[in-house]
Amino acid sequence: MGMGTRNVDARLAASIGQLEEPVVPDFQALQDVPKGGVLFALPALLVTGLLKYSENFFKLSKGYYGLDSLLIILAFIALVRVKSIESLRYSAPGEWGKLIGLDRIPEVRTLRSKIKQLTQDEGPQQWSEALCKEWMQSAPEQASILYIDGHVRVYNGQQTKLPRHHVARQKLCLRATTDYWVNAMDGQPFMVINKAVDPGMIKVIENDILPQLEKRLPTFVNAEELKSDPLLHRFTLVCDRESYSPPFFKRMKAQRVACLTYHKYPGENWPEEEFLPYAVTLSSGEQTQLNLAERGHCLSNGLWVREIRKLSQKGHQTSIIGTDYRSEMIPLAVAMFARWSQENFFKYCREHFGLDKLVDYCIEPVSESVKVVNPEYRRLDSQIRSSQGKLNRLLARFATLTLDAPIEPDKVEPFLQKKTICQEEIEAFQVQIKTLKEKRKTNATLP
C-alpha cells in the first residue's frame, strides 16, 4: 500500500480494477501541515483554468487518483519549487496527501505512468490552445500587444543528438531545443511553440505563431475600419533584434500586423536638442520619466516606419522602429522597453520552476523536408571565422611594426625581414579565406 496509506478499502478495489470512480478528495481540519501555504494559491489556479476543459482533452484509466487530483498535484509540485518528479522520493507522501485531500500522493513511478497516459496524443496541445483562446478573449487589453522571444532549452540527456544552439546565458553552443514564447506586457504567458530544429524567429512567427493567433485573438478592429484606414493594424508584435527584417515588416504590414523592435542599424546619434522629457507609466504601474524623440525612417526596401529613440542619462541612444502608425509615441516606447518582463519571466521560471527540465524522455522523428544547416557548411564557416581572426591579428601586428632606430643597414635589414614575413603570412591567410568562402558557397543548406 505504501507509506501514509489509510484508505485501504478503496486502494484494494483500485488494485483489482473494481474501483469505478476515483476517490473524491476530503479535506479535514489539521495542524502543522508542511507546505500548507500552497493551498492559498488554489483559487488562483482554478480561476486561471487549471481544471477547465481538462476532461475534454484528457482521459485516465480507472484508478485511485482522479484527473483533478493529478493536475492539482502537478501544480502544487511546481509552486513549492520541486523541479523534478524524482525529488518526491525524498518527501513524506502522507504530508503531501493532506494538501490534496487524500491519504497520500502517488509513488513516483505511478505519477510518471499517469503523466504518460495524459501525453500520448495531442491532448496537452489542444488543452493549451483552448486555455490560450480563453485567456486572450477574457483579457483583450493584454492580447493587443504580444511579446515573442525564443528561449533555448538545453538538453543534457542521451536519447538523441539534438542540433547545437548558442546559449547566451552560458556563452556556449550546446545541444538544445528552442521554445518560442508569446507573452503579455506583464510577462504572463499565452502560448509556447517548441522547435527542435530552429528555422529562426521570423519563419516561426509567419509559419506557426500567426496562424494560431488568427484563431485565438479577439477582434480588435472590424473589416470596415481596416478598409477605410490603410494604416490601421489589428494587433502588435514586439520582438528583439532577431526579427529585424525590412521584407518581414512589409509582409506583416500587408497582413495588418504591426511590428515593434530595436533598430539593428541606427546610424548616427540624433542631436540631444530633439529629445524631450515625458512622464510615462510602465506596465507595472511605476511612474518614470523618459527622454524621447521621433522621426520617420525609410528602410532599404522603401517601407516607411516610425523611429523612436530614448536618450539615457549617460548619453546613449536606444533606437526602436515600428509599423504602428496610429498609436501615440509614449505607449510604443513603453511597450518596447517593457519587453524585459518576458526576459524576467524566463529567468524566474528557469530558476524556480525548472523551465529547462524535460518533462518526459520521449523522442519524435523530424520531418525529412526540414531544411537544416549543412554540417560541411558549418565546418567551413568555423574555419573562415578562425582564419579571419588570425588575419586581423596579423594586420594589427603589421601596422605596429615601425623602425624607431637610425636608418642604417644593420638596423633596416632585420626590420624588412620581419615586415616581409608578416606580409607573406597575411597574403597566405587572405588566399586561404578566399578559397574557404568559395567552398562555403556550394554548401549552403541540405533538405
Side-chain angles (χ1 to χ4, degrees):
M1 291 295 179
M3 297 179 60
T5 299
R6 296 192 307 274
N7 194 349
V8 178
D9 293 341
R11 288 189 176 275
L12 281 174
S15 66
I16 60 177
Q18 297 299 319
L19 189 65
E20 296 299 328
E21 296 292 336
V23 175
V24 178
D26 180 19
F27 292 91
Q28 302 177 359
L30 299 168
Q31 293 182 349
D32 299 329
V33 180
K35 303 178 178 64
V38 75
L39 289 170
F40 287 102
L42 184 57
L45 291 172
L46 297 178
V47 170
T48 304
L50 176 64
L51 304 181
K52 201 165 188 178
Y53 310 123
S54 57
E55 294 184 353
N56 299 337
F57 303 106
F58 298 115
K59 299 298 179 184
L60 278 177
S61 57
K62 293 192 300 183
Y64 186 84
Y65 298 96
L67 178 60
D68 290 356
S69 297
L70 184 62
L71 293 176
I72 291 175
I73 289 171
L74 296 176
F76 282 178
I77 287 173
L79 288 178
V80 300
R81 278 43 173 189
V82 177
K83 297 183 179 179
S84 65
I85 294 177
E86 280 75 13
S87 301
L88 292 176
R89 300 181 189 274
Y90 311 103
S91 302
E95 300 296 339
W96 271 99
K98 297 174 183 177
L99 299 177
I100 61 173
L102 299 176
D103 52 351
R104 59 160 291 161
I105 60 171
E107 293 280 356
V108 170
R109 61 180 179 180
T110 303
L111 193 55
R112 280 205 170 275
S113 174
K114 298 289 186 182
I115 294 175
K116 185 177 181 180
Q117 290 184 41
L118 299 180
T119 57
Q120 283 182 339
D121 50 21
E122 298 297 325
Q125 180 65 27
Q126 296 172 358
W127 184 46
S128 174
E129 292 175 0
L131 288 177
C132 176
K133 184 175 182 179
E134 177 170 314
W135 294 336
M136 289 183 168
Q137 296 287 343
S138 61
E141 69 282 355
Q142 292 185 326
S144 61
I145 299 178
L146 301 172
Y147 294 96
I148 300 177
D149 199 5
H151 172 73
V152 179
R153 181 152 51 96
V154 179
Y155 174 64
N156 298 306
Q158 303 295 329
Q159 292 290 323
T160 186
K161 290 186 177 181
L162 291 172
R164 293 186 182 274
H165 296 72
H166 180 257
V167 186
R169 59 185 178 274
Q170 298 184 30
K171 297 182 180 179
L172 294 171
C173 286
L174 303 173
R175 299 199 181 277
T177 61
T178 303
D179 295 331
Y180 284 94
W181 288 81
V182 179
N183 296 60
M185 282 189 68
D186 58 358
Q188 297 187 57
F190 282 124
M191 55 184 282
V192 60
I193 293 176
N194 175 262
K195 289 292 182 181
V197 179
D198 183 12
M201 178 181 289
I202 292 177
K203 289 187 177 180
V204 172
I205 291 176
E206 293 187 286
N207 299 335
D208 298 278
I209 295 179
L210 271 184
Q212 297 195 33
L213 292 179
E214 298 286 354
K215 302 175 184 177
R216 304 173 194 176
L217 279 175
T219 301
F220 299 108
V221 290
N222 56 45
E224 293 182 359
E225 293 174 321
L226 291 173
K227 186 177 181 180
S228 61
D229 188 350
L231 297 181
L232 197 62
H233 64 278
R234 294 181 294 152
F235 55 91
T236 302
L237 302 180
V238 184
C239 312
D240 60 11
R241 288 180 179 83
E242 186 179 352
S243 67
Y244 181 88
S245 170
F248 170 67
F249 298 150
K250 193 169 186 178
R251 293 194 298 269
M252 291 297 98
K253 183 176 180 294
Q255 299 185 45
R256 313 306 288 272
V257 177
C259 297
L260 191 64
T261 186
Y262 295 108
H263 199 328
K264 204 169 186 178
Y265 310 103
E268 297 180 355
N269 287 342
W270 294 355
E272 294 189 5
E273 293 76 17
E274 292 189 29
F275 294 85
L276 297 175
Y278 294 90
V280 301
T281 302
L282 303 180
S283 57
S284 60
E286 179 185 355
Q287 300 282 338
T288 186
Q289 180 175 291
L290 297 178
N291 295 319
L292 302 174
E294 181 180 0
R295 291 182 183 177
H297 180 76
C298 185
L299 298 178
S300 57
N301 61 346
L303 177 66
W304 278 94
V305 297
R306 299 174 65 180
E307 181 175 3
I308 301 171
R309 292 198 181 190
K310 180 179 77 73
L311 179 65
S312 68
Q313 295 180 352
K314 295 183 178 180
H316 176 71
Q317 297 184 11
T318 302
S319 174
I320 62 176
I321 58 173
T323 54
D324 180 348
Y325 305 100
R326 289 289 177 251
S327 299
E328 297 292 333
M329 176 181 64
I330 294 178
L332 289 179
V334 171
M336 188 70 245
F337 297 121
R339 196 186 68 84
W340 285 104
S341 63
Q342 191 177 39
E343 298 291 345
N344 292 335
F345 166 79
F346 293 149
K347 184 176 186 296
Y348 190 84
C349 287
R350 188 175 66 249
E351 293 179 357
H352 293 270
F353 299 118
L355 182 63
D356 290 343
K357 296 282 186 179
L358 291 177
V359 295
D360 57 49
Y361 299 104
C362 299
I363 58 176
E364 58 184 22
V366 176
S367 173
E368 295 183 357
S369 62
V370 174
K371 289 186 177 182
V372 299
V373 177
N374 188 340
E376 181 64 18
Y377 177 93
R378 193 186 300 273
R379 185 184 66 81
L380 292 170
D381 189 64
S382 177
Q383 291 182 1
I384 291 172
R385 291 198 303 270
S386 176
S387 299
Q388 189 65 52
K390 295 176 181 178
L391 175 60
N392 293 338
R393 289 191 290 272
L394 281 173
L395 291 172
R397 191 176 72 182
F398 185 83
T400 59
L401 288 175
T402 58
L403 181 62
D404 299 327
I407 302 178
E408 297 177 0
D410 58 334
K411 302 291 184 181
V412 174
E413 194 65 30
F415 169 75
L416 293 177
Q417 290 179 359
K418 289 181 181 180
K419 279 277 191 179
T420 302
I421 294 174
C422 191
Q423 179 65 34
E424 290 175 352
E425 292 178 353
I426 289 173
E427 293 175 354
F429 271 109
Q430 289 175 338
V431 172
Q432 180 182 359
I433 291 173
K434 183 179 179 180
T435 304
L436 290 173
K437 286 183 176 180
E438 292 175 354
K439 291 182 179 179
R440 189 179 61 176
K441 287 182 181 179
T442 60
N443 294 274
T445 58
L446 284 177

